[in-house]
Amino acid sequence: MDGADSERKEAGFKERTPVDEARRILSDAAVGDGDRPTTGTETVPLERADGRVLAAPITAARDVPHYRRAAMDGYAVRAADTFGASERSPEVLRIGDRNGDVGPDRAVRVHTGSALPDGADAVVMIEHVEELSDVGELEVGDAVAEGENVAPIGEDVAEGARLYEAGHRLRPSDLGLVRSVGYDRLEVAQRPTVGVIPTGEELVEGDPGPGEVIETNGLTVSRLVERWGADATYRDVVTDDAEALRVAIQRDLTRDVVVTTGGSSVGERDLLPEVIDDLGEVLVHGVGLKPGHPVCLGIVEETPVLALPGYPVACIVNAVQFLRPTLRRLEGTTPDPHPTMPAVLERKIPSEPGTRTFARVRLEEREDPPADEPAFAATPTRASGSGVLSSVALADGWVVVDDGREGIAEGETVAVQDWESHP
């Protein structure tokens, strides 16, 4: 242990890096200033493109629709032939063959989406006509204008239209549109790969004995990684041994990101900051964040290494604040804001100046709130306790107290972040 490590372990965290600065430092080291995916790209069929990030813009290869089509069930006509038609004084047209053209004083039956026959320039709705089938004629009781009830070529999408830019995350509706304009495969960013390494000699997989704890952090983080659009490799527990930790990190340097859980603070068994610094460089150790200030962010052989705290809530908070944005940058995007719900705070949330606090809350519908106030109330599940997993798992979200505030008073309207529902 060198002098700096010794002083840190003795003094703890005298200074903590602000959250935004820590995120910027990690991002710059991991990705730099580029906006292209650093994970590389691949071409996938549309059926596998949902949730993927476009690596190249999409331009419509054809018009949609690519033909003039009927927008209503009815009869295709020449609009001029219906001029002056009304229920009292209908125009009489001959019914032509379904596969024929529309000529003077002739109408052809069409259905919604049918190609408009040659010669036609409008469609009379079926409810505005009366068929005289015995004589093969049609009474039109409503005049139509040229183009009425007709979808022109390119009404939905015009050939050459720019639909999506690189960096757009695809949704199911996007895939339908992309297929309609002529694509069946797309170039997308490769999914980032993440090695998730739970650490701690007290961790077990099965029934715990005295002093033992069931491993949950690695499971939670690996599932968050998958939800955020990356591929996780969930490793077996590694004990608190410097050499074992070194080998585990080096094994996963083939991944885009390495994440460890536990052993990130300044205690005797918190070896990861020293191991990371020995293998590469510790960029940040100690962040102005609660719960979870003893996070360690580093870089080893150009691979970001995130040592998340062992307390479950602290681990989750740091994963959302640092791992999620890192994965987004690697695929060439930025994180979307979390959905929020306004609510009236039922109890004060304390916070220290210079610390960004994430307070877990439950939401309950209020009885007869004033019209200008939120419909929900937010009650903190706990004021502290970063090791109490139920405080986040049974919460409806969290309220963020910004670095510059000394808490939030009871009765204030707050924004409850639904951090878990957004990819």
Side-chain angles (χ1 to χ4, degrees):
M1 181 185 303
D2 62 26
D5 291 329
S6 177
E7 290 177 9
R8 186 182 71 249
K9 287 187 178 294
E10 291 177 4
F13 297 97
K14 289 184 178 179
E15 295 184 5
R16 301 176 185 177
T17 305
V19 174
D20 294 337
E21 183 181 349
R23 192 182 292 135
R24 177 190 59 76
I25 291 171
L26 177 63
S27 178
D28 288 349
V31 182
D33 297 329
D35 57 3
R36 289 280 297 168
T38 61
T39 54
T41 65
E42 61 180 332
T43 301
V44 299
L46 281 182
E47 307 89 82
R48 290 175 43 210
D50 183 31
R52 303 297 295 271
V53 173
L54 281 173
I58 297 293
T59 301
R62 61 179 172 227
D63 293 309
V64 179
H66 61 281
Y67 60 93
R68 292 190 309 155
R69 64 187 180 190
M72 296 286 179
D73 286 349
Y75 280 85
V77 298
R78 299 193 318 171
D81 291 338
T82 70
F83 180 74
S86 66
E87 290 185 5
R88 289 190 175 186
S89 179
E91 289 292 327
V92 178
L93 306 178
R94 288 176 292 122
I95 299 176
D97 184 80
R98 285 179 180 267
N99 298 318
D101 297 341
V102 171
D105 298 321
R106 181 182 296 171
V108 172
R109 184 75 165 93
V110 291
H111 300 281
T112 302
S114 298
L116 204 67
D118 288 342
D121 59 16
V123 173
V124 180
M125 296 170 61
I126 192 68
E127 50 264 48
H128 294 155
V129 302
E130 183 175 349
E131 298 174 355
L132 308 174
S133 55
D134 54 335
V135 294
E137 291 182 338
L138 185 75
E139 288 187 345
V140 178
D142 184 45
V144 290
E146 183 178 341
E148 190 168 343
N149 300 324
V150 174
I153 293 173
E155 179 192 46
D156 192 351
V157 182
E159 181 180 355
R162 188 84 155 213
L163 300 181
Y164 304 108
E165 299 296 334
H168 176 73
R169 189 175 301 280
L170 292 161
R171 305 159 298 180
S173 58
D174 299 329
L175 302 185
L177 180 59
V178 168
R179 172 168 282 175
S180 75
V181 299
Y183 291 83
D184 58 11
R185 300 177 68 82
L186 295 174
E187 184 186 2
V188 296
Q190 289 184 336
R191 289 163 59 99
T193 56
V194 183
V196 181
I197 309 169
T199 77
E201 63 184 34
E202 75 282 6
L203 299 182
V204 295
E205 300 291 344
D207 293 335
E212 294 180 334
V213 178
I214 293 178
E215 199 295 302
T216 61
N217 286 334
L219 171 65
T220 302
V221 171
S222 63
R223 294 312 91 195
L224 285 172
V225 166
E226 295 284 342
R227 177 170 289 191
W228 294 333
D231 292 327
T233 302
Y234 177 22
R235 299 295 191 181
D236 292 335
V237 173
V238 178
T239 192
D240 296 316
D241 174 80
E243 183 58 27
L245 294 169
R246 182 193 311 273
V247 169
I249 290 174
Q250 289 176 318
R251 172 189 57 192
D252 277 346
L253 291 178
T254 55
R255 270 63 181 176
D256 295 306
V257 183
V258 178
V259 179
T260 64
T261 64
S264 69
S265 191
V266 292
E268 290 185 3
R269 292 193 297 170
D270 293 305
L271 305 177
L272 277 163
E274 296 168 32
V275 170
I276 294 169
D277 208 33
D278 184 53
L279 291 172
E281 179 186 2
V282 169
L283 304 169
V284 175
H285 189 201
V287 176
L289 176 152
K290 184 177 181 181
H293 72 270
V295 63
C296 179
L297 311 174
I299 197 93
V300 177
E301 297 180 15
E302 301 184 350
T303 300
V305 180
L306 285 67
L308 308 182
Y311 280 136
V313 182
C315 180
I316 290 171
V317 169
N318 277 284
V320 175
Q321 299 309 305
F322 298 111
L323 178 56
R324 179 173 178 259
T326 299
L327 296 178
R328 290 290 180 265
R329 285 297 308 276
L330 288 171
E331 63 184 6
T333 68
T334 55
D336 292 326
H338 297 295
T340 61
M341 169 77 75
V344 174
L345 192 60
E346 289 284 278
R347 193 169 65 242
K348 176 183 177 181
I349 298 175
S351 183
E352 304 170 10
T355 298
R356 186 169 299 177
T357 298
F358 295 81
R360 294 83 73 194
V361 298
R362 294 292 301 269
L363 288 171
E364 291 185 4
E365 196 165 358
R366 302 170 69 197
E367 292 186 9
D368 301 321
D372 59 344
E373 292 188 6
F376 288 86
T379 304
T381 57
R382 288 182 71 93
S384 60
S386 63
V388 183
L389 181 56
S390 62
S391 70
V392 68
L394 299 180
D396 295 306
W398 56 43
V399 174
V400 182
V401 185
D402 287 334
D403 312 38
R405 298 197 62 177
E406 294 186 36
I408 301 178
E410 176 184 337
E412 188 170 330
T413 295
V414 294
V416 179
Q417 282 190 3
D418 185 5
W419 63 270
E420 201 163 13
S421 70
H422 206 291

